[in-house]
Each structure stands twice: as structure tokens, then as C-alpha cells.
Amino acid sequence: MTQNFEDSLEFHDMSSIQDLFGPQGRHLRMIHAGTGVFIETRGSSIFLRSSDQIRLNLAKSCLVQLYGLIRSGYRLYPQDVEAALRIIEDDPEADIKKVFKKEVFIVSNKKTVVPKSATQRQYLQAIKARDLVFGVGPAGTGKTYLAVAVAVSYLTQKMVKRIILVRPAVEAGEKLGFLPGDLMEKVNPYLRPLYDALHDMLDFRKVQEMLETGVIEVAPLAFMRGRTLNESFIILDEAQNTTPEQMKMFLTRMGLGSKAVVTGDVTQVDLPGTSISGLVQTQNVLSGVEGIEFVYFNEKDVIRHSLVGRIVHAYDKFDREKLRAKSDNAD
């Protein structure tokens, strides 16, 4: 017979309890989905039940710490609940309030950013400490978003004079020649994720003004050739779709007082044929070079919809099994 473990919690601030539960109990459903623990509420009381004591402790710690976070004045969002579960699961002694409040990164008057995983904290620290940082990992881990956040912060604090956002104009199954318009109109769809990040952190009019004056530049990688970028914060996004020659060209654009961040996912290379990815190669070329840091994300760092993390994990598992089958057939 399976043993069931039970526990209960009693909270008294009804306003904080409502925020803890979330709209229509959404936050509680998320904790149940993430731990498997059954959660029942009666007024200000919460009753927990699980066949796994460790998972029950995880759910209880998450609820207690999130309640304390709300009581301290923090506004709780669904992604915070997911992040708290991940953090406590990785480190049962973790202090969520410390992570969420003391490590708040002020981007602008419109936006603050909180690192939602240990890797994100490492990434932000690396960007501040190094002039060149590579963020490598799957979609949804915040690589580009956090890099843009730091860039905007540096610009508003006048630590740099410009932000340069760069992307290779390469996508799966599409060719620039098939799109209407002049060259800039052709490449704009490929740069849209960078515009989205900017508009999330700065007022729309402010972004437009900075784009028009050149304080912020969003451009395809090909436009970087022959330039030297001084006192700039430069971000190369989707770097897995650069060739080795393009990567070398980009990295040698850095001028005095500049900082660069390169982001990409080496499992999603869309280069034609058997072309080698510049991001893949550079990990071997630049490994150990002083002043450069590589930060690696995995599916546990995914901060989009919780389903994204499971999708990334499923694809990784599929790829591993495919490689194993190929190896067995070769034998």
C-alpha cells in the first residue's frame, strides 16, 4: 500500500493569500503540476498531500517562501512561480526573497529584470565582468532578452554611447530574395525579436527616436563588415547561423570601450548544406582566452511557457536516441 504524506499551512493576510493562489488558483495548479503534490484550500488554510515526502517539502517551501515574498511587497507573476520551483528544486536551502528582491536588475524606468535561475545570475555577472560573453543554450532561456536588458541599462547610465543589435539573415527554409521590398525591408522580419525586446524595456517613442538618431542600431550581420565599433554594447543574436568567417569578422569589430554578447543555440543551425557554424567552432578556438566567458544554459533554464522546457527536453532525448541508434547500426 502506498504511503501518503500530509502537511498543512496557515496564512493570515487574505490579500497576500489571494495573490499567492493566483487568478482562479492558477499558481496552485502550477505548483501541483511541477511537484505532483495535491493541494487543497479551506479559507486561509492549505492542505498538502503526496506519496513523495521530498516533493511535498518542495511544494511547502515554495508556498511559504512565495507568501513571504508577496508580504514584502513583491508582485507575483506565473513565471515567478515556475522559477521559484526550479530554484528550490536545485537548492532546497535557497532563499527566494534574496534571489527575487536583492538581485533585481534595474533596466530602465519601465523595466526591472530578476534572474530566474542560477545560470541567468551567472550570465548577468559574466556580462558585467567581461568584455566578451557567449550565451549558449536552447530557446526560451533568456539569453538575448537579458543581454538587451544589460545593454539598455548601460545606455541609460551612459556607460556606452550606442547599442548595436545584430542578427544573421538566415532562417530555415526561407530566402531573402523571395521577400518583397528593398534590402532593409527584406531583413527586418529577421530582426523583429530584437525590436520586441527593446519595446519591452523602453517606451515605443523613445525606441523610435533612438533608432532614428543611431543611438540604437538593429542590423543584419552583413552590415558590420569594415566597421570599428567604439563605446558600444554589441549583441549578436542567433549566432549559430554564422559561418566561421562571419563570426571572426563580427568579433573583430569591437573597438575601445565596447562590450559584446554573442547568443545562440547550437542545436538549431539553419546554415545551408554542410556549412560549419561559427558559434560551434568558436567554442574550440576561444576556449580559455582571457577576458572571454562562455555561459551554458539548458532546459532547466527555460523561462517561457513551462511546455517549452518539456519540448526542449523531448527533442534532446530524441536526438540522443537517434545518435545511439546510428552508433549501434555502425557497429
Side-chain angles (χ1 to χ4, degrees):
M1 183 176 178
T2 303
Q3 181 181 3
N4 278 323
F5 299 93
E6 297 181 353
D7 208 334
S8 64
L9 295 167
E10 182 74 28
F11 298 125
H12 301 287
D13 184 341
M14 292 307 297
S15 175
S16 297
I17 290 172
Q18 290 174 357
D19 291 338
L20 176 64
F21 291 179
Q24 291 79 50
R26 181 180 180 185
H27 296 163
L28 297 183
R29 291 196 301 274
M30 292 172 68
I31 293 173
H32 166 67
T35 64
V37 173
F38 291 96
I39 304 173
E40 182 182 350
T41 63
R42 298 175 197 164
S44 60
S45 300
I46 299 178
F47 298 89
L48 309 172
R49 177 169 51 87
S50 174
S51 60
D52 186 328
Q53 182 70 63
I54 294 176
R55 306 304 288 176
L56 187 143
N57 291 342
L58 169 60
K60 180 180 179 181
S61 177
C62 187
L63 287 164
V64 170
Q65 293 208 53
L66 288 177
Y67 177 77
L69 189 66
I70 294 167
R71 292 273 291 158
S72 70
Y74 187 88
R75 185 176 180 183
L76 191 68
Y77 292 95
Q79 57 266 35
D80 297 325
V81 178
E82 293 181 343
L85 278 172
R86 283 196 304 270
I87 293 168
I88 298 172
E89 188 170 21
D90 288 342
D91 179 10
E93 302 300 320
D95 185 338
I96 295 301
K97 187 182 292 186
K98 178 181 178 182
V99 174
F100 279 53
K101 296 206 75 176
K102 292 187 179 180
E103 297 190 18
V104 169
F105 183 75
I106 300 174
V107 179
S108 64
N109 292 334
K110 182 182 178 183
K111 191 73 176 180
T112 58
V113 170
V114 180
K116 300 295 175 65
S117 71
T119 311
Q120 286 198 351
R121 292 199 299 277
Q122 178 192 351
Y123 185 54
L124 286 174
Q125 290 165 2
I127 293 174
K128 294 175 185 177
R130 311 289 185 188
D131 286 337
L132 176 58
V133 174
F134 290 81
V136 183
T141 50
K143 304 182 300 295
T144 303
Y145 190 86
L146 290 175
V148 173
V150 180
V152 170
S153 176
Y154 271 51
L155 183 65
T156 56
Q157 295 179 63
K158 302 187 185 305
M159 296 170 68
V160 296
K161 292 183 177 179
R162 290 187 297 168
I163 297 175
I164 314 292
L165 306 176
V166 185
R167 242 185 174 217
V170 177
E171 295 293 338
E174 296 192 48
K175 305 292 183 183
L176 291 181
F178 296 156
L179 299 174
D182 60 23
L183 181 59
M184 207 58 213
E185 289 172 324
K186 288 176 188 288
V187 300
N188 259 337
Y190 300 92
L191 307 174
R192 180 51 52 189
L194 298 174
Y195 286 112
D196 290 343
L198 283 173
H199 289 140
D200 195 39
M201 296 171 197
L202 295 168
D203 292 330
F204 181 83
R205 290 182 179 178
K206 188 69 173 177
V207 172
Q208 295 306 112
E209 178 186 320
M210 289 180 168
L211 287 169
E212 290 171 3
T213 58
V215 173
I216 297 178
E217 180 180 349
V218 184
L221 179 58
F223 285 21
M224 295 298 104
R225 191 172 297 279
R227 301 176 63 181
T228 300
L229 304 173
N230 296 317
E231 298 180 87
S232 302
F233 199 115
I234 317 156
I235 300 172
L236 172 58
D237 189 32
E238 296 290 332
Q240 74 274 8
N241 289 329
T242 63
T243 64
E245 293 77 17
Q246 289 174 322
M247 177 63 78
K248 181 180 178 182
M249 179 272 290
F250 170 80
L251 295 176
T252 54
R253 298 308 92 200
M254 289 180 65
L256 297 174
S258 287
K259 186 180 287 284
V261 179
V262 178
T263 70
D265 179 0
V266 294
T267 68
Q268 295 191 26
V269 177
D270 297 316
L271 291 169
T274 58
S275 301
I276 299 173
S277 166
L279 181 59
V280 172
Q281 185 190 76
T282 199
Q283 293 176 79
N284 298 320
V285 175
L286 299 180
S287 177
V289 174
E290 186 178 353
I292 299 174
E293 185 167 344
F294 287 83
V295 178
Y296 294 94
F297 295 80
N298 58 48
E299 68 271 10
K300 290 184 178 180
D301 299 304
V302 172
I303 56 171
R304 291 180 182 171
H305 193 290
S306 59
L307 187 58
V308 175
R310 297 197 291 273
I311 291 171
V312 170
H313 177 73
Y315 270 98
D316 286 345
K317 181 181 177 182
F318 176 80
D319 289 338
R320 288 194 300 270
E321 290 175 350
K322 188 167 65 173
L323 285 172
R324 191 180 303 117
K326 185 177 180 180
S327 176
D328 291 343
N329 290 334
D331 293 341

